Amino acid sequence: MEEGLKNFWHLVSLPDNVPIIGMLGLVIFYTWQSMRKALRNDRLGTPIEASMTDRVQVWPYLVRIEFLTSVVVILILTVWSVGIDAPLEEPANPGRTPNPSKAPWYFLGLQEMLVYFDPWLAGIVFPFLIQAGLMAIPYVDINPKGNGYYTWKERRFAIGFFLFGFLILWVFLIILGTLLRGPGWNFFFPWEEWDAHKVVAANSRDWPELFGKFPAKNVDGSINTGHVIIGSLSIIGYYFFGNLLLKKVILPRATKDKDIVKKLGPLRYGTVAFFVLTCMTMPIKIILRLTLDVKYVLSTPWINF
Amino acid sequence: MSDIIKVPNKRQVVKSDGGGKKDLVQQFYESQIYTSIFRHDYKDNKRNRALQIVNNVFLHLHPTRVSRHAIDVGYTWGMGGITLLLFIVTAVTGILLMFYYRPTSEYAYNDMKQLMHDVPFGAFIRNMHRWAAHSMVICVMLHMYRVFLTGSYKPPREFNWVIGVNLLVLTLALSFTGYLLPWDQLAIWAITVGSNMARAVPFLGHAGPFAPEFHQLVGFGGAPDADVRFILLGGTEVGAPTLLRFYVLHTVFLPIVTAVLLAVHFWRIRKDGGISGPPMIEFNKAVTDASKLKVSVVDHLPKYEYVQGFKQVEGEQNFKEAIRKDLEILKQKSSSKLANLINTIDQAAEQNIKGGENTENKDNHQNHNNTTNTDEHQHH
Ligand code: HEM
């Protein structure tokens, strides 16, 4: 326990990890601030921002803010650079792999996905989808309200989904990957000692195997048809029922508009549904892994899901 | 006083103080040097405040006046500006680092060691570069977070959000390529883990799905020495060629692309009407601009702000009349070339007004739904 905490403290105070702790603080502070403002605006009916309709001159009112901010930021950087040295470890040695091997901190959320998905999904398709999905946001969000002020009531679905994605799937997974993943990318609580030989139950179970004898491959190496059928049906079923749920319950309720799907039109709605449902496969797979020890939903010689 | 210092100058508008002795400060403001740099005197008045912005190539990224709420730090968190500052800090410290760093596997690590221990202020410069880079990644994420929470990606700023997403990716790429340069254990293994993903690209990475089949077809993708990872790293593993590649990307290519996109980003902020604000502010901005330019507000605003603004100013009852008047002005003023555009706007506004009529007695949400159904927007 003592050793574990010491190790945890060591991790927290690693020069490269200090900014992450700072980020966590800022994210929490800003989330609290903006939600507070959003709720206040919702209560008032007219956003408080709307009361400041007059204009001010940029010189001096904006320039002085910019100047002071620059001074403060550079001061912080100076103190930080005097106080904490950037890390420089032993020279590069391709023959000696450190354990754990971690990507730069901002990619640890993506590295975390590798636990649940094969590299082509976690490392290629998902990063690409994150980027594409972000770029699609302005074109699928047709709600004209909530432009230029903090609000929650007027944009429940958009804000709820973004908060989930940003806070849980991005920031939280970065923290998890930085502080709680040890040798072998195994999970360690802060008080646990890092044990390079930690034995973790091998999760060799695939989703179809929960329903009977449906391993990915039969003993003779041939493909198990039951496995493929159950696996594919589960994936198709997920998108089918997920789509229904989104269309009939979640979107209309969250936006308080029965016709929202019609207003979105097939292209916009399809985009939203695809990104939302695909994004949710991540938490779903985490839950399946933690509760039922499931590795793949469908495993074929070519690709696994 | 020599003539060089005190030259009567057309640029100079300072009034003489009646022959009394001028103090040093006053003399400085009147000197040829000062007036040549700032091109206007230092009297505190509205005109000079505006000139201070317009006559300065850096400051004139700003408009001369902004709405009060745009300078509210609680609204923007100042995160975009701080990100820019951090980008500049990394550029300056990065150039200093380039004086001492050679991107070859023989020298790179030793140059780093020298920087940390022998070069005067070397450690300080390197630290500052690294901490500014980390901070930039954090600030750009927070900036995006703010832009999302205030809905500032909505029309007319959709495209600036898209540029922003690319800036986010570029920031991460800058940081990632820089991570390798110290050429220590931390560096090569982080980059190894990160770039291993490229093995798994479908078709094009040797461990990716369908790569062997694709390789048979075109002779590329299925082998460790003929896939995208090989192209990225310049080898089958992170090695000397990778170091050079990442160095060039990090110090030349990515900064240039980022700087160009930043220019577009800032230019678009201005073109999209400055910092976003609630309907009333957008409306006020457009009304002032329109009266200055003697044009209609209708072509300055996305419809929602347009209708909402008129509603708030004229009241629920009269706003349709006001909109009709505005449209009339537009029709009279514009040339035949614009006729088409006006018709579209006209129809759109008609629809909006009808939408408003149906729901006047219902609650807020119903109301907003009705303004949603036309999603084409007029903006420049
Ligand atoms: C290198 C990165 C970036 C820099 C230096 C930068 C800089 C700025 C600055 C200085 C502003 C003025 C308002 C403010 O400070 O909040 C701004 C506004 C804006 N940025 Fe960025 N930005 C960057 C990345 C991004 C990203 C990642 C996004 C979104 C994905 C984004 C989207 C926007 C939008 C939509 C606005 C207009 C906001 C409004 O009018 O309220 N930018 N940016």
Side-chain angles (χ1 to χ4, degrees), chain A residues 28-260:
Chain A
I28 292 173
F29 175 73
Y30 279 139
T31 309
W32 169 71
Q33 267 290 321
S34 42
M35 284 304 120
R36 208 175 56 117
K37 282 191 181 171
L39 295 180
R40 189 196 52 196
N41 278 346
D42 289 345
R43 227 185 11 255
L44 288 174
T46 321
I48 197 96
E49 286 92 342
S51 61
M52 300 185 249
T53 49
D54 61 329
R55 293 215 225 183
V56 295
Q57 288 200 290
V58 165
W59 181 282
Y61 299 107
L62 175 55
V63 178
R64 82 177 168 201
I65 294 176
E66 291 173 341
F67 177 72
L68 284 176
T69 312
S70 307
V71 170
V72 170
V73 169
I74 287 176
L75 266 181
I76 293 174
L77 278 177
T78 306
V79 173
W80 188 356
S81 305
V82 170
I84 303 180
D85 271 346
L88 189 62
E89 298 186 348
E90 293 116 66
N93 179 357
R96 215 172 55 76
T97 316
N99 188 9
S101 275
K102 293 188 180 182
W105 63 267
Y106 36 82
F107 287 150
L108 289 188
L110 301 179
Q111 198 174 350
E112 184 67 22
M113 294 203 297
L114 279 171
V115 179
Y116 306 98
F117 293 97
D118 272 5
W120 71 278
L121 269 175
I124 305 296
V125 175
F126 284 170
F128 173 76
L129 287 183
I130 293 172
Q131 208 180 326
L134 282 174
M135 292 203 265
I137 287 175
Y139 302 99
V140 295
D141 182 356
I142 56 169
N143 176 2
K145 287 206 165 188
N147 181 352
Y149 52 97
Y150 291 96
T151 174
W152 158 252
K153 203 173 73 183
E154 295 172 6
R155 300 172 59 209
R156 265 183 271 251
F157 183 77
I159 291 189
F161 185 60
F162 195 84
L163 284 184
F164 177 76
F166 183 70
L167 296 181
I168 309 291
L169 295 186
W170 189 252
V171 175
F172 174 73
L173 288 189
I174 286 176
I175 307 279
L176 176 77
T178 311
L179 300 180
L180 304 177
R181 289 292 185 182
W185 202 256
N186 285 319
F187 180 87
F188 292 89
F189 283 107
W191 54 87
E192 262 183 299
E193 218 173 316
W194 274 14
D195 174 5
H197 306 290
K198 178 172 179 173
V199 187
V200 180
N203 33 40
S204 49
R205 234 191 323 180
D206 290 338
W207 170 252
E209 289 178 83
L210 297 177
F211 301 94
K213 266 200 145 313
F214 300 115
K217 275 183 183 161
N218 294 322
V219 205
D220 61 2
S222 62
I223 298 171
N224 183 315
T225 353
H227 179 100
V228 175
I229 292 177
I230 296 179
S232 328
L233 278 185
S234 306
I235 294 173
I236 296 171
Y238 166 70
Y239 276 94
F240 182 78
F241 288 108
N243 169 45
L244 276 186
L245 189 69
L246 196 64
K247 200 183 226 166
K248 301 269 183 242
V249 186
I250 298 176
L251 271 180
R253 286 233 186 132
T255 57
K256 299 227 162 136
D257 178 4
K258 310 189 288 305
D259 299 326
I260 180 73

Side-chain angles (χ1 to χ4, degrees), chain B residues 76 80-81 83-84 136 140 143-144 146-147 152 157 160-161 164-165 167-168 171 262 265-266 269 274-276:
Chain B
T76 63
T83 310
L84 173 65
M136 184 176 163
V140 75
H143 172 56
M144 181 178 81
R146 182 297 277 186
V147 171
S152 305
R157 297 181 181 79
N160 218 12
W161 167 272
V165 175
L167 279 169
L168 172 75
T171 307
L262 278 179
H265 195 57
F266 298 146
I269 296 174
I275 304 298
S276 58

Side-chain angles (χ1 to χ4, degrees), chain A residues 16 31 37 54 56-58 66 81 85-87 89-90 93 96 106 120 134 141 143 145 148 150 263 303, chain B residues 49 62-64 66 68 74-75 109 126-127 130 134 145 150 153-155 161 175 184-185 200 209 369:
Chain A
D16 265 345
T31 309
K37 282 191 181 171
D54 61 329
V56 295
Q57 288 200 290
V58 165
E66 291 173 341
S81 305
D85 271 346
E89 298 186 348
E90 293 116 66
N93 179 357
R96 215 172 55 76
Y106 36 82
W120 71 278
L134 282 174
D141 182 356
N143 176 2
K145 287 206 165 188
Y150 291 96
K263 281 173 193 158
I303 44 178
Chain B
R49 286 176 175 192
H62 299 111
T64 56
V66 291
R68 184 180 292 282
Y75 178 73
Y109 182 77
R126 177 170 175 241
N127 295 345
R130 194 173 185 102
H134 279 332
Y145 191 34
T150 55
Y153 57 83
K154 297 188 177 195
W161 167 272
S175 190
D184 63 347
Q185 277 291 77
N369 297 334

Side-chain angles (χ1 to χ4, degrees), chain B residues 1-22:
Chain B
M1 174 143 300
S2 85
D3 275 359
I4 293 265
I5 311 270
K6 194 164 154 256
V7 174
N9 192 306
K10 274 194 204 118
R11 296 184 291 239
Q12 197 173 321
V13 236
V14 179
K15 284 188 192 108
S16 154
D17 57 354
K21 256 205 162 167
K22 290 172 188 160

